[in-house]
């Protein structure tokens, strides 16, 4: 079993940027070479800005190379809660923004000819019980009224048309959801960015951002110092001591994934006959999909721990058991890959993007960053180069996590709470 992300193992980097010389100055310095950072870099450079992207590791090393590869519609917080919090009009706008974000991936893939198995196969959300199916019907009605947006509710008796399992009580299908090979996508974005002149520097940890009296920052890195007129923080769940204000607002939750051996075609088609991007409605959710080479990718918040080789191996055992519970006919299927990564949750499970003390930021995608990070990277770049941009999240209150100043000591408490909620629902 490999302890590396399947996505990165089966994609070819567009180049080796570990030795790329650090420029002396840039109009824009971006910290983080994931979807946010690379999509921002590409857009800003297209508008004529000189851009450098700095990553302490390599392209896609963070969540962008470790996720489920599911670009799915719907708000992380759920439509019902969003309506209660923000009202019907704003909730509908926010919902539409997630769809716009998937369109952005599709546009980038076409425009830059990125071969990354992008496929609009639809999203399947699975219900644990009849009550959740009832809630799905309400969501269906709300989406029709608010946005004239059609989704389908599948009852228990028809569930085999969507999934080869008796574990779930029903589901909601949204045809707009898409799957993408995120390893190929993130490397494709890096390649497109370098072709328009972006300087990519891997193995370059940013250690300090010192404000300049004239505006902008001196960016200190482990590979030297550079002057930048503007800075964008794109560090999602890996936000650390460089930006304590953002770290206080970020809950880095470990999420873990296993990928099986390639499956016979008839088994892959039995699991998800329509190749949907699937996830269930538990708090400790399971998510799964078929990869382009017919493996099952199965992920979840197996443990409320940070990712490490030991944590990843323990999580693989838990996930293998979970996979066999949902799909008993996979109980003797070999697992070829396992890994973990950090999801950047926020107190309100909403994206937060804006500017504070001259530093731009976009993070808090709360498990929906495949499309939203790509989209918000682009929007932040447009705003930084002075072009019209969209940022629905700018005015949302951005609350710190009480008592959170360093490592997230409170994760086991959240994990315990989630387990109790799942057991009683
Ligand atoms: C296991 C898992 C499954 C997921 N599944 C899905 C899914 O199916 N669908 C979905 O929409 N979302 C999913 N997500 C979330 C999604 O992957 C992220 O929201 C998204 O990739 C965030 O992209 P990003 O570019 O903002 O950050 P990242 O890709 O995390 O990149 C941040 C980068 O910042 C770098 N960095 C941090 N600090 C510094 C520093 N001081 N100096 C230099 N570099 C620094 C890191 O090395 C890292 O490479 C999942 C996440 C995980 C972990």
């Amino acid at each position: 079993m490999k302890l590396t992300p399947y996505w990165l193992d089966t994609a070819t980097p567009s180049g080796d940027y570990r030795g790329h010389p650090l420029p002396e100055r840039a109009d824009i310095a971006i910290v983080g070479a994931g979807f946010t950072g690379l999509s921002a870099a590409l857009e800003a450079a297209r508008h004529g800005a000189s851009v450098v992207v700095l990553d302490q590791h390599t392209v896609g090393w963070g969540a962008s190379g470790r996720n489920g590869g599911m670009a799915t519609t719907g708000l992380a917080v759920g439509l019902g809660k969003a309506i209660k919090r923000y009202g019907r009009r704003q909730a509908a706008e926010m919902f539409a923004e997630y769809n716009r974000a998937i369109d952005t991936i599709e546009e980038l893939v076409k425009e830059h000819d990125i071969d990354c198995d992008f496929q609009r196969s639809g999203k399947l959300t699975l219900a644990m019980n009849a009550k959740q199916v009832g809630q799905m019907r309400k969501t269906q009605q709300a989406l029709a009224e608010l946005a004239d947006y059609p989704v389908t509710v599948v009852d228990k008796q028809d569930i085999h048309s969507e999934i080869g399992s008796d574990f779930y009580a029903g589901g909601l299908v949204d045809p707009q959801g898409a799957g993408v090979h995120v390893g190929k996508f993130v490397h494709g974005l890096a390649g497109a960015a370098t072709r328009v002149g972006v300087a990519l520097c891997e193995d370059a940890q940013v250690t300090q951002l010192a404000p300049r009296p004239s505006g902008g920052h001196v960016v200190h890195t482990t590979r030297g110092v550079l002057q930048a007129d503007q800075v964008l923080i794109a560090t999602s769940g890996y936000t650390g001591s460089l930006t304590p204000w953002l770290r206080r607002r970020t809950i880095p939750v470990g999420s873990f994934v296993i990928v099986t051996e390639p499956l016979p075609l008839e088994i892959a088609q039995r699991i998800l006959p329509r190749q949907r991007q699937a996830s269930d409605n538990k708090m400790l959710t399971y998510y799964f999909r078929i990869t382009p080479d017919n493996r099952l990718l199965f992920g979840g918040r197996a443990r409320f721990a940070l990712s490490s080789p030991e944590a990843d191996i323990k999580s693989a055992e838990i996930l293998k058991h979970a996979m066999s519970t949902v799909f008993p006919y996979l109980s003797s299927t070999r697992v070829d890959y396992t890994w973990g990564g950090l999801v950047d949750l926020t107190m309100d499970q909403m994206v937060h993007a804006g500017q504070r003390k001259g530093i731009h930021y976009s993070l808090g995608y709360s498990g929906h960053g495949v499309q939203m990070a790509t989209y918000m990277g682009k929007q932040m770049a447009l705003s930084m180069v002075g072009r019209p941009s969209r940022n629905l999240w700018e005015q949302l209150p951005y609350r710190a996590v009480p008592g959170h100043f360093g490592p997230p000591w409170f994760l086991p408490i959240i994990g315990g709470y989630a387990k109790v909620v799942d057991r009683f629902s």
Side-chain angles (χ1 to χ4, degrees):
M1 186 168 70
K2 291 188 182 180
L3 295 180
T4 44
Y6 158 83
W7 302 119
L8 296 180
D9 197 46
T10 54
T12 310
S14 61
D16 183 347
Y17 308 104
R18 284 172 293 185
H20 197 290
L22 200 70
E24 282 176 16
R25 73 157 305 280
D27 295 335
I28 299 178
I30 297 175
V31 189
F35 299 139
T36 306
L38 292 170
S39 133
L42 174 58
E43 189 64 23
R46 277 157 40 123
H47 288 282
S50 63
V51 184
V52 58
V53 179
L54 305 149
D55 199 290
Q56 60 193 1
H57 297 289
T58 44
V59 164
W61 177 91
S64 298
R66 296 169 180 272
N67 56 68
M70 300 157 71
T72 50
T73 46
L75 291 154
V77 74
L79 185 65
K81 219 180 229 178
I83 291 173
K84 272 189 202 144
R85 267 195 214 157
Y86 310 112
R88 290 168 71 83
R89 197 183 54 82
Q90 203 180 343
E93 267 181 29
M94 288 172 167
F95 181 89
E97 208 68 353
Y98 277 74
N99 280 8
R100 227 169 255 134
I102 303 179
D103 294 344
T104 300
I105 297 185
E106 192 166 22
E107 286 155 17
L108 284 168
V109 165
K110 279 198 189 130
E111 195 176 342
H112 300 282
D113 202 14
I114 302 175
D115 175 14
C116 61
D117 305 295
F118 177 87
Q119 202 192 358
R120 289 254 184 198
S121 46
K123 173 190 177 186
L124 170 65
T125 310
L126 292 153
M128 301 306 298
N129 49 45
K131 189 176 165 204
Q132 287 184 1
V133 179
Q135 284 162 351
M136 286 173 170
R137 291 205 183 286
K138 284 189 190 155
T139 301
Q140 182 187 34
Q141 200 183 338
L143 283 174
E145 285 169 14
L146 282 178
D148 197 17
Y149 188 86
V151 293
T152 315
V153 175
V154 184
D155 285 315
K156 177 90 180 162
Q157 68 267 19
D158 299 322
I159 196 82
H160 284 185
S161 64
E162 288 292 341
I163 180 171
S165 170
D166 292 317
F167 190 70
Y168 294 107
L172 181 94
V173 174
D174 181 336
Q176 294 304 316
V180 59
H181 186 309
V182 284
K184 294 181 182 176
F185 181 51
V186 79
H187 286 311
L189 280 180
T194 54
R195 283 195 293 279
V196 288
V198 170
L200 243 170
C201 297
E202 298 176 320
D203 272 351
Q205 185 183 19
V206 179
T207 50
Q208 196 198 343
L209 297 168
R212 294 187 310 203
S214 54
H217 284 80
V218 183
V219 180
H220 295 260
T221 84
T222 45
R223 291 231 259 117
V225 170
L226 79 122
Q227 308 285 328
D229 295 343
Q230 300 193 77
V231 172
L232 172 67
I233 302 295
T235 50
S236 83
Y238 300 87
T239 300
S241 55
L242 177 70
T243 49
W245 189 82
L246 290 173
R247 180 167 68 174
R248 288 209 60 204
R249 284 156 178 78
T250 306
I251 310 170
V253 175
S255 187
F256 301 88
V257 179
I258 54 174
V259 169
T260 67
E261 61 186 305
L263 301 168
L265 186 59
E266 66 274 17
I267 300 288
Q269 284 174 343
R270 180 177 173 194
I271 294 171
L272 287 166
R274 295 164 205 254
Q275 301 245 323
R276 307 268 196 223
Q277 313 300 312
S279 63
D280 67 28
N281 252 348
K282 292 201 282 11
M283 269 195 98
L284 296 178
T285 184
Y286 299 151
Y287 49 89
F288 41 91
R289 55 163 292 183
I290 300 294
T291 64
D293 57 352
N294 286 333
R295 301 165 187 265
L296 176 64
L297 176 152
F298 193 97
R301 292 186 191 142
R303 305 169 68 239
F304 265 67
L306 300 182
S307 171
S308 67
E310 300 75 42
D312 295 359
I313 290 168
K314 276 189 199 157
S315 300
E317 283 309 310
I318 296 170
L319 287 175
K320 196 162 186 256
H321 177 74
M323 178 180 78
S324 310
T325 308
V326 179
F327 304 106
Y329 46 92
L330 297 183
S331 57
S332 55
T333 300
R334 195 182 70 227
V335 170
D336 281 353
Y337 293 89
T338 186
W339 70 89
L342 296 176
V343 175
D344 51 341
L345 293 190
T346 51
M347 289 291 280
D348 57 3
Q349 285 181 272
M350 301 304 285
V351 179
H352 289 274
Q355 191 196 152
R356 184 176 181 271
K357 295 192 176 170
I359 293 179
H360 300 262
Y361 58 85
S362 180
L363 65 167
Y365 307 113
S366 299
H368 283 60
V370 169
Q371 73 279 26
M372 212 19 111
T374 308
Y375 177 70
M376 285 311 298
K378 177 174 176 175
Q379 298 307 321
M380 292 308 289
L382 287 170
S383 144
M384 291 167 85
V385 298
R387 303 275 169 146
S389 62
R390 290 177 64 86
N391 183 353
L392 288 193
W393 331 103
E394 201 167 7
Q395 302 306 326
L396 297 180
Y398 195 2
R399 284 165 53 213
V401 184
H404 177 29
F405 297 98
W409 54 268
F410 43 84
L411 288 187
I413 301 171
I414 303 180
Y417 169 74
K419 271 188 196 149
V420 172
V421 172
D422 281 345
R423 189 160 303 147
F424 288 102
S425 59

